[in-house]
Amino acid sequence: MWKSWTLACLLLLHLANASETEQCNAEDSKSSCGCGDGATNRERRDAEQPPPPQNDQKADLLHDFDSYPRTNQMIRIEGGTFTMGLDKPIIVADGEGPSRRVRVDSFYMDVHEVSNAEFARFVADTGYVTEAEKFGDSFVLDALVPAEIEKTITQAVAAAPWWLPVKGADWKSPEGPGSNIGARMDNPVVHVSWNDAVAYCAWAGKELPTEAQWEYASRGGLDNRLFPWGNNLTPNGQHRMNIWQGTFPTENSAEDGYVSTCPVTAFPPNKYGLYNMVGNAWEWVSDWWTIRHAGEDQVNPTGPLSGQDRVKKGGSYMCHKSYCYRYRCAARSSNTPDSSAANLGFRCSSRTRPTHKDVVILEN
């Protein structure tokens, strides 16, 4: 399997360099493009799972989240019909096509990705322990792992050697022991599993968006466009999202200003007022994964009734066109619900007007 993934990676590299609209003819799994997505599923590697930590989560929160402005605001997205997916999918194996007309009812969406400060409020209130903490490790980009930690790691992902399973890496210690979120409280929380995200949503009186809601919201009313603002990656020469510049995975020029995650308020919002719908951190959605979609018009689709993996959308700061051209509205990938990584977060939605006392509804 690893050999076939590697061959598919090389195929995508060739095709992606040819044109932004050319199809990726990879015919392997959803992880065939080598960005380490499916490779970071916990069920696909042999990792020891120590017992959950016994420390008091509340006492271990070292940073005053109250000093950071709230970023849990929501905005009402008026329902409508849009073209979901692509007729000419760029990554065929991901099930980006066929395009289909989909209607979604009005709903509310978080303006920002859930930040470390907002997640800290949840943990301080509930004592919640994330799955990365329970497993005792999580995946981190090798370039961000301190040398003294990297030299102790003997296990890697064959198809994506830049992913390292780092013991002690979790949402509070994104690069493992010695790292912290002290200067990143306004960045998206990462190392959260789908199950962790659902637990947060329940506490906040919200839910994860469906894939259809997420894609509709990301487009900001612009149908059949690559990005939330149009088809130009850098309109007027300006960066509009946090992705990888340079040569992945050896050199990141950080022309957009960031090597890792950026604040959830960075870059201009789309026309619906939503920030960082692409780039920065992958975002979990509620749907089970499938690459087969109904061709007829759909109304409020919610995906399959069951499955093994959950869908994630939007790409991350690690995405580069040469290997992971998934920082597009129609792009998609997946992981098992208990998986976590240093580029995986979420935002919340709600089908009805939220009633939680802390939620502020912004005017369109």
Side-chain angles (χ1 to χ4, degrees):
M1 178 178 290
W2 294 117
K3 182 178 180 181
S4 62
W5 283 5
T6 303
L7 291 174
C9 290
L10 296 174
L11 176 59
L12 178 62
L13 177 62
H14 169 75
L15 291 166
N17 284 334
S19 167
E20 290 198 358
T21 57
E22 283 185 299
Q23 296 186 38
C24 167
N25 293 319
E27 296 178 353
D28 209 328
S29 75
K30 57 186 172 297
S31 304
S32 61
C33 296
C35 61
D37 303 323
T40 61
N41 285 353
R42 290 197 180 277
E43 66 180 18
R44 295 182 188 173
R45 63 189 180 90
D46 298 319
E48 294 182 1
Q49 298 179 10
Q54 300 301 312
N55 62 302
D56 182 353
Q57 287 281 348
K58 296 180 182 180
D60 198 39
L61 289 173
L62 304 179
H63 310 291
D64 182 11
F65 50 75
D66 284 329
S67 65
Y68 286 80
R70 298 302 301 270
T71 55
N72 66 333
Q73 301 87 357
M74 303 192 85
I75 197 164
R76 178 181 167 86
I77 307 295
E78 295 296 329
T81 301
F82 76 110
T83 302
M84 185 172 179
L86 298 168
D87 271 332
K88 295 182 178 180
I90 294 173
I91 304 179
V92 176
D94 281 355
E96 294 181 356
S99 68
R100 58 266 185 208
R101 296 296 286 173
V102 171
R103 175 169 180 79
V104 294
D105 293 337
S106 298
F107 61 100
Y108 294 82
M109 183 74 112
D110 276 356
V111 172
H112 307 100
E113 296 162 310
V114 175
S115 70
N116 283 312
E118 295 298 334
F119 199 79
R121 288 182 169 87
F122 160 59
V123 172
D125 189 45
T126 64
Y128 186 83
V129 179
T130 63
E131 292 197 288
E133 293 169 279
K134 293 178 181 178
F135 278 96
D137 67 359
S138 190
F139 280 94
V140 183
L141 175 66
D142 60 355
L144 301 178
V145 177
E148 61 271 18
I149 294 178
E150 184 173 4
K151 67 183 180 183
T152 67
I153 299 173
T154 59
Q155 183 182 21
V157 179
W162 47 85
W163 275 124
L164 298 180
V166 177
K167 292 187 182 300
D170 57 46
W171 75 276
K172 291 179 297 179
S173 303
E175 290 79 53
S179 65
N180 63 70
I181 55 174
R184 290 179 274 183
M185 293 296 279
D186 57 354
N187 287 25
V189 64
V190 292
H191 294 295
V192 287
S193 69
W194 186 91
N195 297 318
D196 297 332
V198 168
Y200 174 95
C201 289
W203 169 80
K206 304 176 183 180
E207 60 196 1
L208 287 178
T210 65
E211 183 176 6
Q213 287 175 330
W214 190 99
E215 189 167 328
Y216 179 77
S218 74
R219 294 182 178 280
L222 300 177
D223 217 12
N224 291 306
R225 296 293 186 270
L226 291 173
F227 312 117
W229 54 86
N231 287 330
N232 189 342
L233 179 64
T234 53
N236 299 316
Q238 299 298 311
H239 290 283
R240 299 293 296 268
M241 60 179 158
N242 177 18
I243 56 175
W244 189 286
Q245 291 90 41
T247 304
F248 187 88
T250 57
E251 182 265 329
N252 186 354
S253 63
E255 293 172 14
D256 57 19
Y258 304 98
V259 173
S260 182
T261 57
C262 68
V264 298
T265 55
F267 301 102
N270 71 3
K271 290 188 176 181
Y272 286 162
L274 305 175
Y275 289 76
N276 291 289
M277 291 300 293
V278 290
N280 210 21
W282 280 100
E283 298 181 16
W284 289 112
V285 297
S286 62
D287 301 42
W288 287 107
W289 173 264
T290 183
I291 59 172
R292 302 184 185 279
H293 313 290
E296 68 274 10
D297 290 354
Q298 303 172 57
V299 178
N300 298 319
T302 57
L305 295 178
S306 62
Q308 294 183 332
D309 295 351
R310 295 286 186 174
V311 180
K312 60 183 184 181
K313 297 282 284 185
S316 80
Y317 65 89
M318 287 176 59
C319 282
H320 187 278
K321 186 181 176 183
S322 66
Y323 87 105
C324 182
Y325 188 28
R326 292 184 173 98
Y327 44 89
R328 298 170 286 105
C329 297
R332 56 203 303 269
S333 190
S334 71
N335 279 109
T336 54
D338 61 355
S339 296
S340 62
N343 65 345
L344 182 50
F346 68 105
R347 79 176 69 212
C348 309
S349 68
S350 181
R351 287 166 290 178
T352 58
R353 186 179 181 88
T355 58
H356 195 285
K357 62 181 180 63
D358 288 339
V359 177
V360 174
I361 307 300
L362 301 182
E363 297 298 326
N364 296 69

